[in-house]
Amino acid sequence: MNMKFTTLISADELARHHLPNGCMQRGWVLFDCRHDLENPAAGKKAYRAGHLPGAQFLHLDEDLAGVRTGTNGRHPLPPPQALRLLLESRGVGDDVQVVAYDDGSGMFAARLWWLLRWLGHEQVAVLDGGMAAWTAAGFSLAQEMPLTETGRLSERPSLVATVDADEVQRHLGDGSMCLIDARNPERFRGENEALDVVGGHIPGARNRFFRENLAPDGRFKSAAELAREFRALLHEEGAAVPMWIVSQCGSGVTACHNLLAMEIAGLHGGRLYPGSWSEWSADPKRPVAKGA
């Protein structure tokens, strides 16, 4: 029986699914999601210089986000049907195992992980430790562009849920929604804001910098450790974590990293606020908090 990978996959395990010619074995599709928020061309350039054998490239702005209007955030969700057609053209189908990686932290790979679950596709995993873990294990890189086949993704019920800005605003201060902000502490406090016009955070949000999900070697912490840390953040000691958790960040990207970490920890049901701070702060009528 083939094992399904739905959260993480190690470099050693991924290598077992490469053919001798470097291609991925049938039924597996690999995506390079490297990106630089300050230099959007950097990911594609790095891919051309060298990538995991058999990997295809997906661009955060062009492939994994929709059209920006100025008020819907820096990385709005793409239209689901357009995303489905794109992934099908790259070989993703109902029974295909998808693996996403970036150059280490998983911050961009986790976006693809979440988007596929949004489309109802469960067999998607992030390469634990990313490209750094792959090369550290002694595995080679390639420059060849892989051949692709067309897949078919059926329309399935989504495995994840979202909230919009209006829903967030309706529940501010009523205790029925717990916002977790994945940005670094400086940006959360409203200091050194380099990406959005306004600094600060949504009132009542709690800060969990996405890099706290990682061990010093760049791989994710254990499920037990992640569960302990998230429960401490949520002041939740019981076995269940409420469904009212909403993950957000600057633009709905690193928020997916926290949702992946929660999934690894067995804490299911967290929702995503896709527009996140970049959408929230675009409306001067919405309240802003600063400091810790």
Side-chain angles (χ1 to χ4, degrees):
M1 179 181 295
N2 291 330
M3 183 176 180
K4 294 181 180 180
F5 296 88
T6 59
T7 53
L8 298 175
I9 187 170
S10 69
D12 287 340
E13 184 62 50
L14 179 60
R16 284 195 278 272
H17 296 280
H18 274 85
L19 300 175
N21 63 1
C23 297
M24 294 299 299
Q25 74 176 49
R26 190 173 183 82
W28 284 64
V29 174
L30 178 61
F31 289 113
D32 185 317
C33 301
R34 284 178 286 173
H35 189 75
D36 185 336
L37 292 172
E38 296 181 358
N39 181 10
K44 189 174 292 185
K45 182 178 179 180
Y47 171 80
R48 289 171 176 159
H51 51 264
L52 271 63
Q56 303 175 62
F57 182 75
L58 288 176
H59 195 284
L60 175 64
D61 297 335
E62 299 168 8
D63 301 318
L64 305 182
V67 176
R68 289 185 288 182
T69 64
T71 60
N72 63 348
R74 285 183 283 107
H75 294 107
L77 296 182
Q81 184 61 16
L83 178 63
R84 181 179 289 106
L85 291 173
L86 169 67
L87 294 171
E88 286 180 337
S89 73
R90 302 295 193 88
V92 181
D94 289 343
D95 298 319
V96 167
Q97 175 69 60
V98 179
V99 176
Y101 75 90
D102 52 39
D103 49 7
S105 67
M107 65 182 291
F108 302 115
R111 169 75 167 205
L112 178 57
W113 172 83
W114 187 91
L115 284 172
L116 273 160
R117 291 173 60 80
W118 183 50
L119 294 182
H121 190 77
E122 186 178 22
Q123 289 175 246
V124 54
V126 169
L127 175 60
D128 198 11
M131 193 167 175
W134 179 265
T135 55
F139 300 124
S140 63
L141 301 178
Q143 292 182 316
E144 294 80 12
M145 305 297 171
L147 299 175
T148 60
E149 298 180 355
T150 301
R152 185 179 183 280
L153 274 175
S154 301
E155 293 192 21
R156 293 172 170 173
S158 180
L159 300 172
V160 295
T162 64
V163 301
D164 59 20
D166 290 340
E167 186 172 359
V168 172
Q169 187 139 15
R170 281 197 304 272
H171 293 287
L172 284 183
D174 69 5
S176 66
M177 179 181 289
C178 179
L179 289 165
I180 299 179
D181 190 322
R183 294 175 300 161
N184 69 49
E186 292 76 21
R187 291 186 65 206
F188 178 81
R189 293 192 298 263
E191 307 163 4
N192 304 322
E193 179 56 65
L195 296 172
D196 295 306
V197 176
V198 179
H201 59 267
I202 300 172
R206 303 174 190 183
N207 189 210
R208 167 75 178 187
F209 185 27
F210 77 95
R211 290 188 183 275
E212 294 179 24
N213 300 323
L214 305 174
D217 65 0
R219 294 175 175 84
F220 276 79
K221 295 175 180 176
S222 70
E225 189 171 3
L226 289 169
R228 183 167 57 250
E229 291 179 1
F230 271 97
R231 287 201 174 101
L233 176 70
L234 300 166
H235 313 301
E236 171 65 62
E237 297 179 357
V241 171
M243 300 285 284
W244 41 263
I245 297 167
V246 172
S247 186
Q248 50 98 183
C249 56
S251 64
V253 176
T254 58
C256 298
H257 199 281
N258 275 348
L259 291 172
L260 172 58
M262 290 178 64
E263 193 70 19
I264 294 165
L267 308 178
H268 313 296
R271 293 174 289 170
L272 176 70
Y273 171 26
S276 287
W277 180 248
S278 56
E279 177 187 60
W280 183 269
S281 61
D283 185 344
K285 296 179 182 178
R286 295 191 183 114
V288 170
K290 292 182 182 281

